[in-house]
């Protein structure tokens, strides 16, 4: 039989592979190679099973003859990846009246009847496809009576006696399992789990070890680690006189595995078997290079290993298990890194809703910033601050957020908005602060003025009601489900250190404040790739000065007001340089339209009029004058720098003075100044001339020298196309893919959330392009810009600082295109770093293979 790969006995050298016989068959072969007590097993290949589904059966008598005569069999599925699932196992095949008589003298009448009855039921439902209800009336009076009732029910319903021929039983089981795999539901289910459409199914036929019988007989599972944490701990279940996975049923009276004061354990009642099982599990760990769950059966105290499956694990456990396997020298560090899907790190970085907990779903939006938090609803930043003052965690609920909400966001536990997409204000700020955030939850009704939030099912929530935001899934939940704490433990740290060593792509953080910068340092970011300076102007004291500046009539007055902002900005930058200790810091000059700094509602405008001692009409007139039809395409970025140059001059001075201040205390600082929203070379020339002049003035005044690097943010398609001439004036180009995506698609980043899900569902876009870089379109501009920039200026530093910088697929693209680094929100640095390390390792592996 071993010469036929399609139907082969599982022996150490049989022709079995996971790709042709499935993971279970391959694993069982490995266990036999380790000399473990695995019952005799026959493996059927994918092609053999496909033929069975089409009605062409292998020689079933030959399969039956491969086993000791008189024994019963079981059949289990063996898909290539165990996660793809498969039809349920069928146990006790071969059971019939004759066998019942034999077993009756061996095991006793009740045990034999129980085994037979269970088989009749499972055969009836899964093979003969009878309605499970036909056994509803089966009483539990005595096992033998129950068996008779089962046999009669089968006969009545199937209109034939229960089949007695073991070969026919096996043929029918094989056919039903093969056909179940071909069914539409099964196909959709496995495709949802990542299986290809043509995924094959193998089957393994194994001799039954009863687990029911004399002495200590039973079945169970054992593993060496805790599923939730990955920490070493023998865990599992064992149930005397049981079969299959009965021990795992919640209502079963399974025993503990190790000594336990709460009751008897397998270790107490069968110490030898327990010792052997632990030894086998350790051997499997070492030789299969994985934490395995051992599925076993005891037969009169003797251990049989029925199967080994990879231990199911939480994200946290997957990190601990990989690190421990590497630390024990079982796998190399590189392999440990490759085993952890980068996105799972998110679950370690933030609190999560306990996956086991029930969820009372009241709305769904875009998962804009991972993590979960519970709090009382507030509808404004002022209420958020009041709530924080009372020490009550709150959830800020807004239709959308704008810069005025930043203070409220700072004191909230999470944010929920009706509008917006993955790069909207709330999303970007939320990710930067590590604040759970759901945006675009437009299945809920937001009535912010009336202070109500209505769920699609009609439930109304008002201020003070407790809700939970799950920013990892985009769900809004009523109440306070249990949360799991973040777990940045030593295993996490080890993975981060190893990833840094393996990676060949720089990872910087987008950080606007000292708190952000400190988070970036804690995650060992190699610098700040984007400091959005406008975020520094929203502190209450600065906002007023900023507004005053906006109200000035001429450049002289403007300079005077800006003089008051200068020391504040200088202090900001000095602090950032200090925290980053000589690591590069890229500071972006002022970017947003000025009107964002003005109050949008009447009461805010009245307050401003009071503060500036101006008539209210002056304030409203100025606000109206600054209003634009398309502010994102209007007077912002370098356009302000060209037309209101005093702002950039003040910022350049603050940067240079901070450079000298920080350099005097520590490592020399070489600041990087970045110009936003450039579309023409001349814009860069104009700003560069002014910034150079400020640098010269500061050098003169302080009689000290410093250098700086000037760069351009490529955020408009034209800047990418003209990168050749733009690069002549700069040391670096950083692609702002949020705006670049917006402008390439002509798609508002703040409004796209309204129809994005429909667009993705209908396949117009494969994914939200603000989330995953559009390689075909925006990516082509990135490539063009990079090539043209580098051709003009070979040493040009290239990077990406849009939100895509933290997305593993986009990182692969940037690395391929020869970028030097990616920059992303501080909390995304670990994910980005692991993704980058995996790409470098995969390249190495491919090179070795070539
Ligand atoms: C961008 O546009 O990609 C960017 C990083 O800038 P912002 O998100 O601040 O517009
Ligand atoms: Mg931008």
């Amino acid at each position: 039989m071993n010469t036929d790969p399609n139907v082969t006995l599982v022996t150490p050298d049989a022709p079995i592979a996971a790709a042709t016989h499935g993971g279970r068959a391959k694993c069982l072969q490995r266990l036999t190679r380790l000399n473990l007590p695995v019952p005799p097993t026959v493996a059927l290949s994918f092609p053999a099973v496909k033929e069975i589904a089409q009605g062409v059966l292998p020689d079933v008598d030959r399969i039956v003859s491969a086993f000791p005569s008189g024994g019963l069999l079981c059949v289990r599925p063996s898909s290539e990846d165990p996660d793809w699932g498969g039809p349920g196992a069928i146990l006790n095949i071969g059971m019939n009246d004759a066998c019942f008589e034999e077993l009756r003298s061996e095991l006793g009448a009740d045990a034999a009847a129980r085994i037979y009855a269970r088989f009749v039921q499972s055969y009836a439902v899964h093979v003969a496809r009878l309605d499970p209800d036909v056994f509803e009336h089966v009483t539990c009076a005595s096992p033998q009576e129950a068996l008779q009732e089962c046999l009669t029910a089968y006969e009545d319903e199937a209109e034939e006696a229960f089949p007695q021929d073991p070969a026919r039983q096996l043929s029918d089981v094989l056919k039903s399992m093969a056909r179940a795999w071909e069914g539409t539901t099964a196909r959709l289910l496995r495709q949802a789990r990542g299986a290809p459409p043509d995924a094959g199914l193998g089957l393994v036929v194994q001799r039954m070890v009863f687990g029911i019988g004399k002495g200590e007989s039973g079945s169970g599972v054992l593993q060496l680690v805790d599923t939730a944490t990955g920490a070493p701990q023998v865990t599992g279940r064992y149930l005397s006189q049981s079969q299959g996975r009965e021990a795992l049923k919640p209502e079963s009276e399974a025993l503990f595995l190790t000594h336990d004061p709460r009751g008897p354990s397998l270790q107490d009642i069968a110490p030898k078997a327990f010792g052997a099982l632990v030894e086998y599990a350790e051997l499997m760990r070492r030789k299969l290079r994985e934490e395995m769950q051992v599925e076993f059966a005891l037969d009169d105290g003797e251990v049989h290993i029925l199967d080994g499956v990879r231990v199911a694990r939480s994200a946290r456990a997957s990190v601990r298990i990989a690190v421990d396997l590497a630390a024990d020298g079982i796998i190399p560090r590189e392999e440990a890194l490759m085993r952890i899907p980068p996105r799972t790190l998110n679950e370690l970085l933030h609190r999560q809703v306990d996956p086991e907990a029930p969820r009372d779903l009241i709305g769904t939006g875009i998962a804009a910033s991972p993590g979960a938090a519970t709090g009382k609803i507030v509808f404004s930043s002022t209420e958020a601050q009041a709530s924080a003052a009372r020490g009550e965690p709150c959830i800020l609920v807004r239709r959308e957020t704008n810069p005025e909400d930043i203070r409220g966001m700072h004191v909230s536990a999470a944010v929920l908005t009706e509008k917006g997409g993955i790069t909207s204000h709330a999303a970007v700020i939320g990710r930067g602060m590590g604040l759970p955030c759901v945006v675009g939850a437009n299945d809920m009704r937001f009535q912010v003025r009336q202070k109500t939030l209505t769920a699609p099912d009609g439930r109304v929530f008002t201020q003070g009601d407790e809700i939970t935001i799950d920013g990892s899934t985009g769900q809004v939940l009523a109440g306070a489900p249990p949360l799991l704490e973040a777990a940045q433990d030593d295993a996490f740290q080890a993975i981060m250190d190893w990833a840094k060593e393996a990676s060949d792509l720089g990872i910087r953080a987008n950080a606007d404040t000292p708190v952000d910068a400190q988070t970036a340092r804690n995650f060992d970011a190699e610098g700040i790739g984007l400091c959005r300076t406008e975020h520094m102007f929203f502190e209450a004291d600065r906002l007023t000065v900023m507004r005053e500046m906006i109200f000035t009539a001429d450049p002289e007055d403007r300079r005077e007001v800006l003089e008051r902002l200068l020391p504040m900005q200088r202090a900001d930058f000095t602090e950032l340089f200090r925290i980053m200790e000589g690591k590069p810091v890229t500071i972006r000059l002022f970017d947003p339209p000025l009107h964002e700094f003005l109050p949008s509602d009447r009461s805010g405008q009245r307050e401003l009029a009071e503060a500036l001692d101006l008539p209210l009409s002056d304030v409203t007139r100025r606000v109206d004058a600054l209003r634009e039809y398309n502010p994102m395409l209007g007077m912002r970025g370098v356009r302000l720098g060209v037309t209101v140059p005093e702002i950039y001059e003040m910022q350049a001075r603050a940067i240079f003075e901070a450079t000298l201040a920080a350099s005097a205390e520590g490592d020399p600082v070489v600041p990087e100044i970045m110009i936003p929203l450039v579309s023409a070379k001349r814009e860069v020339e104009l700003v560069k001339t002014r910034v150079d002049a400020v640098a010269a003035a500061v050098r003169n005044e302080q009689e000290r020298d410093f250098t700086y690097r000037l760069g351009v943010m490529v955020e408009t398609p034209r800047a990418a196309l003209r990168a050749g001439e733009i690069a002549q004036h700069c040391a670096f180009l950083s692609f702002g893919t949020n705006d670049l995506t917006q402008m390439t698609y002509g798609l508002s980043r703040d409004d796209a959330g309204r129809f994005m899900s429909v667009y993705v569902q209908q396949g117009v876009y494969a994914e939200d392009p603000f989330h995953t870089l559009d390689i075909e379109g925006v990516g082509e501009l990135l490539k063009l810009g990079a090539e043209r920039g580098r051709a003009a200026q070979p040493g040009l530093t290239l990077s990406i600082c849009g939100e895509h910088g933290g997305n593993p697929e986009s990182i692969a693209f940037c690395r391929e295109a020869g970028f030097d680094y990616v920059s992303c929100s501080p909390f995304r640095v670990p994910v980005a770093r692991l993704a980058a390390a995996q790409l470098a390792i995969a390249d190495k592996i491919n090179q070795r293979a070539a």
Side-chain angles (χ1 to χ4, degrees):
M1 185 181 278
N2 268 16
T3 52
D4 176 4
N6 284 326
V7 183
T8 174
L9 200 58
V10 178
T11 58
D13 45 15
I16 293 173
T20 50
H21 294 76
R24 175 169 272 137
K26 188 66 209 171
C27 180
L28 286 167
Q29 182 179 45
R30 290 192 175 126
L31 301 186
T32 60
R33 285 180 185 157
L34 298 177
N35 270 328
L36 294 180
V38 177
T41 308
V42 168
L44 273 64
S45 70
F46 296 171
V49 175
K50 202 168 183 58
E51 285 202 342
I52 295 172
Q54 288 156 1
V56 183
L57 280 155
D59 185 343
V60 173
D61 288 332
R62 206 165 63 110
I63 297 177
V64 173
S65 67
F67 297 95
S69 67
L72 301 188
L73 302 176
C74 65
V75 182
R76 294 170 213 256
S78 177
S79 53
E80 188 173 342
D81 181 332
D83 289 345
W84 299 344
I90 305 234
L91 310 183
N92 302 316
I93 301 159
M95 195 69 198
N96 53 19
D97 296 349
C99 192
F100 172 66
E101 289 307 323
E102 269 172 45
L103 284 183
R104 185 190 173 107
S105 51
E106 225 178 279
L107 306 176
D110 281 358
R114 248 189 252 123
I115 292 172
Y116 196 1
R118 194 173 304 145
F119 177 55
V120 172
Q121 292 199 16
S122 124
Y123 184 93
V125 174
H126 300 293
V127 181
R129 308 263 164 210
L130 304 187
D131 191 332
D133 292 353
V134 303
F135 299 106
E136 232 173 21
H137 66 282
V138 172
T139 59
C140 304
S142 88
Q144 293 179 69
E145 279 167 24
L147 169 63
Q148 279 319 314
E149 285 176 22
C150 283
L151 286 167
T152 312
Y154 182 93
E155 198 166 334
D156 287 351
E157 194 66 23
E159 294 177 0
E160 62 161 4
F162 187 72
Q164 296 291 308
D165 174 13
R168 148 131 195 239
Q169 291 176 359
L170 180 59
S171 304
D172 287 353
V173 167
L174 293 176
K175 260 190 279 180
S176 83
M177 288 176 76
R179 285 180 182 157
W181 181 253
E182 305 273 311
T184 311
T185 322
R187 185 156 351 110
L188 291 177
L189 206 65
R190 65 179 175 265
Q191 282 179 15
R193 293 173 180 166
D198 59 349
L201 176 74
L203 292 172
V204 294
V205 186
Q206 194 173 61
R207 183 174 70 79
M208 277 300 294
V209 179
F210 281 128
I212 298 176
K214 286 186 303 213
E216 187 48 54
S217 293
S219 61
V221 295
L222 174 144
Q223 63 189 45
L224 301 174
V225 292
D226 179 81
T227 296
T229 64
Q233 186 190 328
V234 175
T235 43
R237 318 263 286 170
Y238 170 76
L239 184 62
S240 287
Q241 303 299 326
S242 77
Q243 290 193 320
R245 296 178 81 80
E246 282 169 31
L248 298 180
K249 288 190 184 146
E251 72 276 14
S252 86
E253 288 177 4
L255 300 189
F256 298 107
L257 287 188
T258 52
H259 294 306
D260 198 301
R262 290 168 293 174
S265 70
L266 180 64
Q267 193 172 18
D268 299 327
I269 60 165
K272 226 171 111 207
F274 174 79
L277 276 167
V278 170
E279 223 174 85
Y280 294 153
E282 281 166 354
L283 182 69
M284 283 161 74
R285 175 177 190 260
R286 263 198 323 280
K287 296 294 184 180
L288 305 190
R289 308 161 74 248
E290 182 53 288
E291 284 296 349
M292 301 295 287
Q293 186 184 62
V294 187
E295 196 175 316
F296 65 93
L298 297 192
D299 180 17
D300 198 8
E302 199 183 322
V303 176
H304 297 268
I305 305 290
L306 309 183
D307 201 1
V309 291
R310 188 176 167 273
V311 165
R313 60 201 69 184
S314 69
R316 180 178 176 187
S318 72
V319 171
R320 156 80 49 208
I321 289 171
V323 168
D324 285 352
L325 286 171
D328 292 344
I330 294 170
I331 58 172
R333 285 181 179 182
E334 289 191 345
E335 193 173 338
L337 288 169
M338 295 301 277
R339 286 188 180 191
I340 303 164
R343 285 193 177 87
T344 59
L345 292 185
N346 276 328
E347 293 179 33
L348 277 74
L349 293 168
H350 307 278
R351 281 189 183 157
Q352 302 291 330
V353 176
D354 185 341
E356 307 291 325
R359 288 169 177 247
D360 185 1
L361 188 68
I362 54 169
T364 318
I366 294 170
S369 176
T374 301
K376 294 188 170 171
I377 295 177
V378 293
F379 288 95
S380 72
S381 284
T382 319
E383 286 163 12
Q385 285 171 303
S387 178
R390 291 193 299 273
E392 289 175 1
C394 64
I395 309 289
L396 181 60
V397 176
R398 305 283 293 157
R399 299 201 70 186
E400 63 190 323
T401 64
N402 59 42
E404 281 176 89
D405 291 311
I406 288 186
R407 277 169 293 155
M409 291 177 76
H410 266 297
V411 296
S412 299
V415 179
L416 169 66
T417 70
E418 178 190 23
K419 296 201 209 167
I422 200 80
T423 60
S424 63
H425 182 266
V428 171
I429 302 292
R431 279 195 296 275
M433 300 196 311
L435 194 67
C437 179
V438 171
V439 301
N442 47 26
D443 62 343
M444 305 181 85
R445 188 146 167 245
F446 287 62
Q447 287 171 299
V448 174
R449 289 224 181 123
Q450 282 101 311
K451 300 192 176 176
T452 61
L453 178 67
T454 310
D457 64 8
R459 274 188 282 173
V460 179
F461 296 83
T462 59
Q463 182 162 338
D465 287 347
E466 196 167 51
I467 58 169
T468 296
I469 298 299
D470 184 345
S472 304
T473 62
Q475 291 183 336
V476 186
L477 310 170
L483 303 183
L484 301 180
E485 286 303 318
Q488 294 164 42
D489 53 11
D490 53 338
F492 170 80
Q493 198 47 53
I495 284 292
M496 284 297 94
D497 293 347
W498 300 348
K500 190 168 183 191
E501 221 173 281
S503 161
D504 55 9
L505 183 71
I507 311 290
R508 294 198 195 177
N510 295 350
D512 311 330
T513 62
V515 176
D516 292 348
Q518 197 52 58
T519 311
R521 278 310 308 265
N522 295 348
F523 289 130
D524 207 10
E526 285 145 67
I528 292 179
L530 171 63
C531 168
R532 294 172 160 109
T533 48
E534 61 272 13
H535 293 165
M536 296 167 159
F537 294 114
F538 285 103
E539 299 292 327
D541 51 340
R542 299 169 183 209
L543 190 58
T544 315
V545 187
M546 192 67 195
R547 287 171 170 170
E548 222 179 296
M549 190 271 293
I550 294 171
F551 276 82
T552 52
D554 59 55
E556 260 330 293
D557 287 354
R558 198 169 300 129
R559 273 206 183 88
E560 224 166 82
V561 183
L562 284 165
E563 279 286 305
R564 283 162 43 211
L565 282 174
L566 174 69
M568 303 178 195
Q569 281 265 273
R570 185 171 54 224
D572 291 333
F573 297 139
T574 310
E575 183 72 3
L576 283 188
F577 293 147
R578 271 194 198 124
I579 293 170
M580 296 312 289
E581 292 179 336
K583 292 188 189 297
V585 176
T586 307
I587 296 168
R588 176 177 78 184
L589 298 173
F590 194 87
D591 182 45
L594 288 180
H595 80 86
E596 283 194 9
F597 290 84
L598 297 178
S600 45
D601 59 4
R602 249 325 126 103
S603 71
Q605 289 170 4
R606 201 169 298 118
E607 268 175 39
L608 180 59
E610 261 166 38
L612 299 179
D613 196 18
L614 288 171
L616 176 61
S617 56
D618 280 14
V619 172
T620 43
R621 206 174 310 121
R622 188 81 180 122
V623 171
D624 286 343
L626 285 172
R627 191 159 287 138
E628 294 174 294
Y629 286 106
N630 278 317
M632 292 305 273
L633 299 179
M635 181 81 144
R636 57 170 283 220
V638 69
R639 297 162 197 171
L640 270 174
V642 169
T643 52
V644 194
E646 299 80 18
I647 302 177
Y648 278 14
E649 282 172 1
M650 180 280 286
Q651 288 197 300
R653 176 170 280 276
I655 292 168
F656 296 138
E657 291 179 358
T659 297
L660 288 174
S663 301
E665 298 164 11
D667 292 324
V669 173
V670 179
E672 300 185 347
I673 298 180
M674 183 152 79
I675 314 172
L677 215 78
V678 165
S679 58
K681 174 180 83 155
R682 185 74 188 135
E683 291 168 328
V684 186
E685 287 169 348
L686 288 171
V687 173
K688 184 174 184 322
T689 307
R690 291 214 169 88
V691 173
D692 280 343
V694 175
V698 174
R699 283 190 192 106
N700 271 342
E701 284 157 24
Q702 303 214 11
E703 295 180 348
R704 283 166 60 203
D705 202 9
F706 58 86
T707 53
Y708 78 98
R709 304 176 79 218
L710 189 79
V712 159
M713 237 177 137
V714 179
E715 300 183 278
T716 64
R718 192 174 192 284
L721 294 169
R722 306 303 297 162
E725 58 182 15
I726 287 172
Q728 287 162 10
H729 298 293
C730 24
F732 63 91
L733 294 183
S734 188
F735 290 85
T737 45
N738 302 336
D739 273 313
L740 191 56
T741 300
Q742 168 165 265
M743 298 204 197
T744 304
Y745 277 84
L747 186 66
S748 160
R749 56 197 265 196
D750 297 306
D751 301 311
R754 285 198 186 183
F755 56 87
M756 189 57 74
S757 56
V758 177
Y759 256 51
V760 173
Q761 265 163 20
Q762 301 201 6
V764 183
Y765 303 153
E767 309 231 25
D768 178 347
F770 290 111
H771 195 193
T772 303
L773 186 71
D774 159 45
I775 308 270
E776 290 169 355
V778 181
E780 187 164 356
L781 280 173
L782 255 65
K783 266 201 202 141
L784 258 182
E787 277 161 21
R788 291 180 184 177
R790 279 254 167 89
Q793 185 88 250
L796 190 72
T797 303
L798 294 174
S799 64
I800 174 176
C801 63
E803 287 308 306
H804 305 92
N807 177 284
E809 292 79 26
S810 314
I811 291 170
F813 173 83
C814 293
R815 186 174 170 274
E816 189 73 13
F819 282 38
D820 297 280
Y821 70 86
V822 297
S823 189
C824 53
S825 311
F827 282 96
R828 297 178 93 187
V829 166
V831 173
R833 175 157 289 144
L834 180 56
Q838 290 186 348
L839 292 164
I841 295 168
D843 267 5
K844 251 204 231 169
I845 293 171
N846 288 340
Q847 277 160 18
R848 271 185 230 142

